[in-house]
PDB file of all heavy atoms in Angstrom:
ATOM      1  N   SER C  84     -41.261 -14.166  -9.001  1.00 97.00           N
ATOM      2  CA  SER C  84     -41.135 -15.575  -9.404  1.00 97.00           C
ATOM      3  C   SER C  84     -39.682 -16.033  -9.493  1.00 97.00           C
ATOM      4  O   SER C  84     -39.396 -17.216  -9.344  1.00 97.00           O
ATOM      5  CB  SER C  84     -41.839 -15.803 -10.737  1.00 97.00           C
ATOM      6  OG  SER C  84     -41.206 -15.040 -11.737  1.00 97.00           O
ATOM      7  N   GLY C  85     -38.777 -15.138  -9.762  1.00 98.00           N
ATOM      8  CA  GLY C  85     -37.363 -15.485  -9.656  1.00 98.00           C
ATOM      9  C   GLY C  85     -36.788 -16.253 -10.834  1.00 98.00           C
ATOM     10  O   GLY C  85     -35.790 -16.962 -10.677  1.00 98.00           O
ATOM     11  N   THR C  86     -37.342 -16.073 -12.033  1.00 98.00           N
ATOM     12  CA  THR C  86     -36.759 -16.806 -13.170  1.00 98.00           C
ATOM     13  C   THR C  86     -35.399 -16.220 -13.571  1.00 98.00           C
ATOM     14  O   THR C  86     -34.511 -16.965 -13.986  1.00 98.00           O
ATOM     15  CB  THR C  86     -37.703 -16.844 -14.390  1.00 98.00           C
ATOM     16  OG1 THR C  86     -37.884 -15.522 -14.888  1.00 98.00           O
ATOM     17  CG2 THR C  86     -39.040 -17.471 -14.029  1.00 98.00           C
ATOM     18  N   ASN C  87     -35.234 -14.910 -13.436  1.00 98.00           N
ATOM     19  CA  ASN C  87     -33.904 -14.337 -13.706  1.00 98.00           C
ATOM     20  C   ASN C  87     -32.903 -14.815 -12.658  1.00 98.00           C
ATOM     21  O   ASN C  87     -31.751 -15.132 -12.986  1.00 98.00           O
ATOM     22  CB  ASN C  87     -33.972 -12.808 -13.739  1.00 98.00           C
ATOM     23  CG  ASN C  87     -34.487 -12.298 -15.077  1.00 98.00           C
ATOM     24  OD1 ASN C  87     -33.792 -12.375 -16.093  1.00 98.00           O
ATOM     25  ND2 ASN C  87     -35.719 -11.805 -15.088  1.00 98.00           N
ATOM     26  N   GLY C 161     -36.227  -8.751 -10.838  1.00 97.00           N
ATOM     27  CA  GLY C 161     -37.640  -8.728 -10.489  1.00 97.00           C
ATOM     28  C   GLY C 161     -37.813  -8.175  -9.084  1.00 97.00           C
ATOM     29  O   GLY C 161     -38.677  -8.612  -8.335  1.00 97.00           O
ATOM     30  N   ILE C 181     -32.618  -5.513 -14.463  1.00 98.00           N
ATOM     31  CA  ILE C 181     -33.154  -5.979 -15.746  1.00 98.00           C
ATOM     32  C   ILE C 181     -34.564  -5.425 -15.884  1.00 98.00           C
ATOM     33  O   ILE C 181     -35.348  -5.443 -14.930  1.00 98.00           O
ATOM     34  CB  ILE C 181     -33.156  -7.526 -15.830  1.00 98.00           C
ATOM     35  CG1 ILE C 181     -33.770  -8.033 -17.126  1.00 98.00           C
ATOM     36  CG2 ILE C 181     -33.874  -8.171 -14.657  1.00 98.00           C
ATOM     37  CD1 ILE C 181     -32.804  -8.287 -18.212  1.00 98.00           C
ATOM     38  N   HIS C 182     -34.848  -4.897 -17.082  1.00 98.00           N
ATOM     39  CA  HIS C 182     -36.158  -4.260 -17.300  1.00 98.00           C
ATOM     40  C   HIS C 182     -36.749  -4.782 -18.609  1.00 98.00           C
ATOM     41  O   HIS C 182     -36.031  -4.877 -19.617  1.00 98.00           O
ATOM     42  CB  HIS C 182     -35.994  -2.732 -17.359  1.00 98.00           C
ATOM     43  CG  HIS C 182     -37.289  -2.021 -17.532  1.00 98.00           C
ATOM     44  ND1 HIS C 182     -38.177  -1.822 -16.492  1.00 98.00           N
ATOM     45  CD2 HIS C 182     -37.885  -1.490 -18.631  1.00 98.00           C
ATOM     46  CE1 HIS C 182     -39.248  -1.196 -16.947  1.00 98.00           C
ATOM     47  NE2 HIS C 182     -39.103  -0.984 -18.241  1.00 98.00           N
ATOM     48  N   PRO C 183     -38.045  -5.093 -18.625  1.00 98.00           N
ATOM     49  CA  PRO C 183     -38.633  -5.721 -19.809  1.00 98.00           C
ATOM     50  C   PRO C 183     -39.099  -4.759 -20.898  1.00 98.00           C
ATOM     51  O   PRO C 183     -40.237  -4.827 -21.364  1.00 98.00           O
ATOM     52  CB  PRO C 183     -39.798  -6.525 -19.222  1.00 98.00           C
ATOM     53  CG  PRO C 183     -40.225  -5.714 -18.047  1.00 98.00           C
ATOM     54  CD  PRO C 183     -38.989  -5.076 -17.495  1.00 98.00           C
ATOM     55  N   GLU C 247     -34.522 -11.924 -21.460  1.00 98.00           N
ATOM     56  CA  GLU C 247     -34.008 -11.329 -20.219  1.00 98.00           C
ATOM     57  C   GLU C 247     -32.945 -12.226 -19.604  1.00 98.00           C
ATOM     58  O   GLU C 247     -31.886 -11.767 -19.169  1.00 98.00           O
ATOM     59  CB  GLU C 247     -35.150 -11.152 -19.208  1.00 98.00           C
ATOM     60  CG  GLU C 247     -36.123 -10.059 -19.565  1.00 98.00           C
ATOM     61  CD  GLU C 247     -37.118  -9.803 -18.444  1.00 98.00           C
ATOM     62  OE1 GLU C 247     -36.746  -9.905 -17.259  1.00 98.00           O
ATOM     63  OE2 GLU C 247     -38.288  -9.513 -18.740  1.00 98.00           O
TER      64      GLU C 247
HETATM   65  C1  LIG B 164     -38.994  -9.481 -15.236  1.00 83.42           C
HETATM   66  O1  LIG B 164     -39.769  -9.203 -16.384  1.00 83.42           O
HETATM   67  C2  LIG B 164     -38.102  -8.322 -14.925  1.00 83.42           C
HETATM   68  O2  LIG B 164     -37.632  -7.669 -16.059  1.00 83.42           O
HETATM   69  C3  LIG B 164     -39.035  -7.428 -14.175  1.00 83.42           C
HETATM   70  O3  LIG B 164     -39.810  -8.300 -13.385  1.00 83.42           O
HETATM   71  C4  LIG B 164     -39.868  -9.563 -13.998  1.00 83.42           C
HETATM   72  C5  LIG B 164     -39.360 -10.528 -12.994  1.00 83.42           C
HETATM   73  O4  LIG B 164     -39.255 -11.816 -13.443  1.00 83.42           O
HETATM   74  N1  LIG B 164     -38.302  -6.433 -13.455  1.00 83.42           N
HETATM   75  P1  LIG B 164     -38.566 -12.938 -12.563  1.00 83.42           P
HETATM   76  O5  LIG B 164     -38.987 -12.705 -11.099  1.00 83.42           O
HETATM   77  O6  LIG B 164     -37.094 -12.863 -12.753  1.00 83.42           O
HETATM   78  O7  LIG B 164     -39.158 -14.210 -13.072  1.00 83.42           O
END
Side-chain angles (χ1 to χ4, degrees):
S84 63
T86 65
N87 280 289
I181 177 94
H182 182 78
E247 288 188 35

